[in-house]
Amino acid sequence: MSTKKTTKTTAKTAATKTTAAATPPAKSAAKKTAPPAKKTAAPAKKAAATKKAPAAKKATAPAANKAPAAKKPPESHAALVRRARRINRELADVYSYAHPELDFENPFELLVATVLSAQTTDLRVNQTTPRLFAKYPTPEDLAAAVPEEVEELIRPTGFFRAKTRSIMGLAKALRDDFGGEVPGRIDDLVKLPGVGRKTAFVVLGNAFGVPGITVDTHFGRLVRRWKWTEETDPVKVETAVAALFPKSEWTMLSHRVIFHGRRICHSRKPACGACPIAPLCPSYGEGETDPEKAKKLLKYEMGGFPGQRLKPPPDYPGKPAPPLAAG
């Protein structure tokens, strides 16, 4: 009996231990597994929230940026005409003394001087022509000249061989076809050697009083900066600008624009801070905007320096240019 009871007791105890031993691991496993599940769930929510936030920002950011970037409506033709004519009036006040910057006494001298001005400055031409016209004062004289002698006289203007052919050729054409006189019609002028529309309009406007627009490099650069036209071909520029102004303004408009281009609105570094039409210029800021620094960029009479003519008009406010020997 004692042995049986002991056996039963031992069996119960073993069963109890076995059950107890089996149960705790299950609970322990549950406890250990549960927390990771919670930890995993929380980061998942945060990650989801984090992903959504940038998406919302990206959606709203472009909407906020669109309003300031809205483009201005294109300028109407009527508004362009008003702005262009106002610029012309402002320039007329500033350059009331605007004039052709080549020295000449008659249409023949102006024609020759304009041909010589290609690829050089009016100043250099003015310093060169006194000796040329002293030796060859008429088309007949120049037509009969020795080419090598003409080349030496005009050498300072550059491209002297080609220019000699042009001025001697036009002198011969004037002598043979026009009785030694410069014609007053553009159709006749452009037939002369070395004479294009630009040269023809310089002569017509300043020697004959026939209105014309002179499209040189300064003129073309400025009218594009002012958004009067986007054309680059001189004839197309001439046509576009002519449509903005009455014909009576064409010659003086040309002088004012060219004056402004040479004195203030330079090619490489415009003096924006010293520009009288800055509020009307859509390209303001391309050059120096500081007023004091801009003043140092001014040229000719604007900067207190000699002009381009040896014999300027009486109302010219600057100093005459020096002769070639003094230059």
Side-chain angles (χ1 to χ4, degrees):
M1 291 294 291
S2 173
T3 304
K4 289 181 181 179
K5 285 180 181 179
T6 303
T7 304
K8 287 180 182 178
T9 303
T10 303
K12 285 180 183 179
T13 303
T16 304
K17 285 180 180 179
T18 303
T19 306
T23 304
K27 290 180 181 178
S28 176
K31 286 179 182 177
K32 287 180 181 178
T33 307
K38 289 179 182 178
K39 287 179 183 177
T40 304
K45 288 180 181 178
K46 286 181 181 178
T50 305
K51 287 180 181 178
K52 286 179 182 177
K57 286 180 182 177
K58 284 180 181 178
T60 55
N65 291 336
K66 279 182 182 177
K71 290 183 179 180
K72 293 182 179 179
E75 187 176 36
S76 67
H77 181 72
L80 172 59
V81 169
R82 287 194 297 271
R83 183 169 62 84
R85 293 186 180 185
R86 186 177 172 189
I87 287 176
N88 183 40
R89 290 194 297 272
E90 295 288 340
L91 293 180
D93 290 338
V94 176
Y95 306 109
S96 58
Y97 52 87
H99 57 271
E101 293 192 272
L102 290 169
D103 286 325
F104 68 98
E105 299 292 337
N106 53 59
F108 172 64
E109 290 187 0
L110 179 58
L111 178 61
V112 171
T114 306
V115 172
L116 294 178
S117 69
Q119 305 298 316
T120 190
T121 63
D122 287 357
L123 170 60
R124 183 60 69 188
V125 174
N126 292 335
Q127 291 173 327
T128 302
T129 52
R131 289 191 302 162
L132 177 69
F133 295 143
K135 190 167 186 178
Y136 309 111
T138 68
E140 292 82 1
D141 294 327
L142 185 56
V146 177
E148 290 75 16
E149 293 179 0
V150 176
E151 288 176 3
E152 284 304 310
L153 288 172
I154 69 169
R155 183 183 289 269
T157 67
F159 304 96
F160 56 91
R161 290 190 179 89
K163 290 180 179 179
T164 294
R165 289 193 294 272
S166 293
I167 64 174
M168 289 190 67
L170 70 83
K172 291 174 182 177
L174 294 177
R175 179 195 64 189
D176 299 340
D177 302 331
F178 298 98
E181 299 292 331
V182 176
R185 296 175 62 251
I186 189 169
D187 292 341
D188 294 329
L189 285 169
V190 295
K191 293 177 182 177
L192 300 174
V195 179
R197 290 181 69 83
K198 184 195 84 170
T199 298
F201 280 129
V202 169
V203 174
L204 289 174
N206 298 287
F208 294 98
V210 178
I213 292 177
T214 304
V215 182
D216 69 353
T217 55
H218 301 288
F219 192 95
R221 179 178 72 253
L222 267 61
V223 299
R224 283 187 289 274
R225 278 182 177 166
W226 296 335
K227 310 301 181 188
W228 290 3
T229 180
E230 294 181 357
E231 299 290 351
T232 56
D233 178 77
V235 176
K236 291 181 179 179
V237 171
E238 175 194 323
T239 302
V241 175
L244 303 177
F245 298 91
K247 195 172 182 179
S248 59
E249 286 290 313
W250 290 355
T251 299
M252 288 309 300
L253 170 71
S254 300
H255 289 323
R256 294 164 191 152
V257 174
I258 293 171
F259 257 59
H260 191 61
R262 286 175 172 169
R263 285 151 178 78
I264 295 179
C265 196
H266 312 137
S267 175
R268 294 184 181 178
K269 199 169 184 180
C272 294
C275 180
I277 60 165
L280 300 171
C281 180
S283 299
Y284 175 81
E286 285 188 10
E288 180 58 65
T289 57
D290 181 85
E292 293 304 317
K293 292 180 180 178
K295 284 181 182 178
K296 296 177 181 179
L297 300 174
L298 302 182
K299 296 183 178 180
Y300 304 114
E301 75 282 358
M302 291 293 188
F305 304 110
Q308 299 202 74
R309 292 187 67 166
L310 278 65
K311 298 177 181 179
D315 62 343
Y316 178 64
K319 303 173 184 176
L324 186 61

